[in-house]
């Protein structure tokens, strides 16, 4: 049980933007993946958070789930609620334009749900000497939750911005948020708090105030 | 979305017994870890399932969560709902006697929630040429769920025996079962079905009926 | 000690083409990485082997070492004999044109020496149900050797085509070949034998002769 | 190429003692594993280094290679120069008594060559906040070399004590030492230097001289 008080940001933070892709498939109609109501509204919180992170000198890592067109890398992903989804080369697989990804940004393509599974994420995080991961994107109950779990098991402080994530259903979203809070007390945060913490971090790490 | 019908057992099965340890700490009073009501009743389903697996020639792998007494390997596990728990050498850390573990059984000690994280589990599963993992034990919403997720990401067929797992709370238990069913349709199973499938496997793999 | 005789190809094979990149930096003059004499000659063995694999229905996986331009992912790679090398966007980082990579080929970018480290390689190999990995490219004593070791530890049959790999020096090349042969007897092979084995595989897996 | 001068110890050190096991099988006669001449003499350097590390407050991690008696976890290890070796329960599998392992020491059992493969080593190293790994034990060209490579790829500073490691043959030992030096300049060290560095570390980390 946490007796030590933890700040929203402990040590060096990184903003992790998970699977905000495609265009208009989030209406839920005939989509290969289920989406909860209000999904797009949550994703709309992402651009201002990304802009604020950039302004405050906080690294941003963008994840994109993508599968090879010959379906070789789906593993068991078609044995459950999801149909064939996010093929390389499909427009809907592109990272959403609204995020404003730049050529020199950190973008990582992944084949599985967790951002750590079969990717270079740990290499990058060690290179950035990251200590706190702040998660936004989707699905709360799949890629966000399972990335949180792996980050937790890799000893990172983890935060999930609850108004900037959305799930496969409202129930699944709520359950995953509770599961993350079980793992780290204070994990659930609001965009407004995160913006404030980013600004505080920028001030404390400014050249005139050496850490 | 699963269009292929899957059997309870696909290929070679393994029964995975997760963190059934200690003696009498499951009453929930002053425990370092929260338990849902009916926890012990679910754990009592384990011994007959283990006996049936042995009878049917199905490998059993026992997991034990244990932490070093100097607390070096807790990582972020004390930042959430759990207090210091399962130290090496404590009586409560021993695998429950009722399971009847034998000297030549597969027993794996783990430091994290997922049975795959920092363990030899993948080495053993490859050696056994395992294809379907059948999970029992606790907590449904922590070690069982996160082991299921990793097994799923490693391409195993995964089943969870819902009357032989229990969670940190009834809500968390229910949510985790739904999350697992989301990943693989037909993941949730009852002990009675599993016993039947074990017996069917034994018949089909008997010497007189070569596979 | 191997008492079982092993074929060059056991089960399903994959040809793994490691770090054959760039254009003319292999002359050794002012290169960021040391090369042994005859390096280019060994790399010239690759295109016909790749063509033969395609002809015989054997999957080919191309690896490309590449580092982010801000140097964030070099780890300890600049603490030894190598200087800053293979930056994303540099011409010399591109996979060699002579290999004839096609848009739908399996291409994996890596940040470290082993093709398994921080990559999707295991996901792809499981999807392909690969059992034997046949390695070509460079350096024999770095990326080839350490990929061999990881493949070996992941239970794959491993072969290295000794006239189609080259090292940082002739001594290091020879030592690495001996180290690989230590791990798996019969690991060292010639291009001519590999071509013959590919053709045999194609015949045995032809539709008229079901496996 | 290393332009930054590196100390023998960068940050927090850990002494890693690899596979110093058994009793008298190092004579090379009818052993399941080949040994170079002078093997035992190199292993005799271990106890004083371990004692010095303890005296200087430097953590020591002992590794033991061990295989299950049903041979399930040998993977491809019997396809090369090694025969069935180091079974659990055999006297020769025990860590050598001369090392003086204590009940509360860090001991990790492994199934493969690299100390990182299928083990809790990364969890422990993160818990210790380790930065420099100093390797002793055997074989220089197998478990020591491949542990060095993984540690290197995980961003640790790595040192190998060349008079406290020994290989499967003198040539293989020499080649592996050169390969490690290729990866990190200054990796090869003598016991005497290491003792001196341990003492310097103890002085600099003493309570009266806070770091």
């Amino acid at each position: 049980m946490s007796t030590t008080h933890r700040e929203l940001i402990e040590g060096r933070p990184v903003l992790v933007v998970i699977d905000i892709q495609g265009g208009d498939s989030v209406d839920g109609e005939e989509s290969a993946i289920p989406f909860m109501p209000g999904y797009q509204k949550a994703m709309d919180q992402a651009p201002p958070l990304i802009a604020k992170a950039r302004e405050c000198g906080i690294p941003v890592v963008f994840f994109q789930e993508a599968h090879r067109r010959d379906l070789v890398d789906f593993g068991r992903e078609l044995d459950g609620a999801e149909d064939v989804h996010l093929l390389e080369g499909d427009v809907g697989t592109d990272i959403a334009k609204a995020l404003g990804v730049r050529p020199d940004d950190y973008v990582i393509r992944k084949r599985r749900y967790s951002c750590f599974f079969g990717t270079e994420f740990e290499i990058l995080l060690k290179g950035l000497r990251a200590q706190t991961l702040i998660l936004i994107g989707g699905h709360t109950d799949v890629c966000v939750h399972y990335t949180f779990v792996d980050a937790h098991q890799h000893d990172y402080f983890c935060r999930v911005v609850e108004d900037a994530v959305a799930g496969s259903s409202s129930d699944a979203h709520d359950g995953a948020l509770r599961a993350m809070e079980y793992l780290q007390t204070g994990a659930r945060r609001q965009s407004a708090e995160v913006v404030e913490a980013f600004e505080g971090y920028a001030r404390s790490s400014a050249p005139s105030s050496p850490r």
Side-chain angles (χ1 to χ4, degrees), chain A:
Chain A
M1 199 176 309
S2 184
T3 48
T4 316
H5 173 73
R6 298 295 189 188
E7 300 298 331
L8 195 155
I9 294 173
E10 293 278 341
R12 278 182 210 78
V14 168
L15 180 65
V16 185
V17 185
I18 302 175
D19 298 359
I20 304 185
Q21 297 168 243
D24 39 23
S25 60
V26 298
D27 297 332
E29 301 175 27
E30 307 192 25
S31 168
I33 302 179
F35 294 92
M36 71 184 249
Y39 199 98
Q40 188 55 53
K41 187 165 169 246
M43 298 306 111
D44 291 345
Q45 299 293 319
L49 280 169
I50 293 165
K52 180 58 71 177
R54 293 190 195 278
E55 180 191 317
C56 297
I58 292 168
V60 183
V61 184
F62 297 90
F63 279 88
Q64 176 192 36
E65 184 172 331
H67 295 283
R68 294 182 190 271
R69 299 192 72 82
D70 64 358
L71 314 187
V72 71
D73 57 24
F74 269 99
R76 299 263 68 78
E77 286 196 19
L78 306 179
D79 279 34
E82 302 186 0
D83 206 343
V84 170
H85 56 274
L86 298 172
L87 296 182
E88 291 183 358
D90 286 357
V91 172
T93 303
D94 290 346
I95 292 182
K97 286 208 177 60
L99 301 190
V101 175
R102 301 172 186 171
D104 60 344
D105 273 337
Y106 301 124
V107 177
I108 298 177
R109 183 168 280 191
K110 68 185 174 66
R111 307 296 185 190
R112 289 282 179 279
Y113 298 131
S114 167
C115 293
F116 288 87
F117 199 98
T119 74
E120 61 172 302
F121 197 26
E122 260 280 274
I123 293 173
L124 179 59
L125 291 174
K126 286 186 176 183
L128 294 168
R129 291 182 295 158
Q131 292 159 278
T132 297
L133 307 190
I134 296 159
L135 310 183
I136 64 175
H139 284 4
T140 321
D141 51 312
V142 188
C143 296
V144 174
H145 187 183
Y146 302 144
T147 297
F148 188 110
V149 169
D150 272 348
H152 176 78
Q153 294 187 119
H154 278 288
D155 299 0
Y156 294 99
F157 297 96
C158 306
R159 311 292 177 236
V160 55
V161 188
E162 44 185 18
D163 54 328
V165 293
S168 62
S169 72
S170 297
D171 275 0
H173 166 83
D174 290 342
L177 288 174
R178 282 193 298 270
M180 292 184 259
E181 183 73 18
Y182 177 93
L183 296 177
Q184 293 194 17
T185 301
R188 297 173 67 160
R189 299 290 179 151
Q190 296 293 320
S191 289
E193 294 175 89
V194 171
V195 164
E196 202 173 325
F198 281 2
E199 291 173 344
Y201 179 81
R203 279 192 302 273
S204 70
S205 60
S208 58
S209 139
R211 276 176 295 165

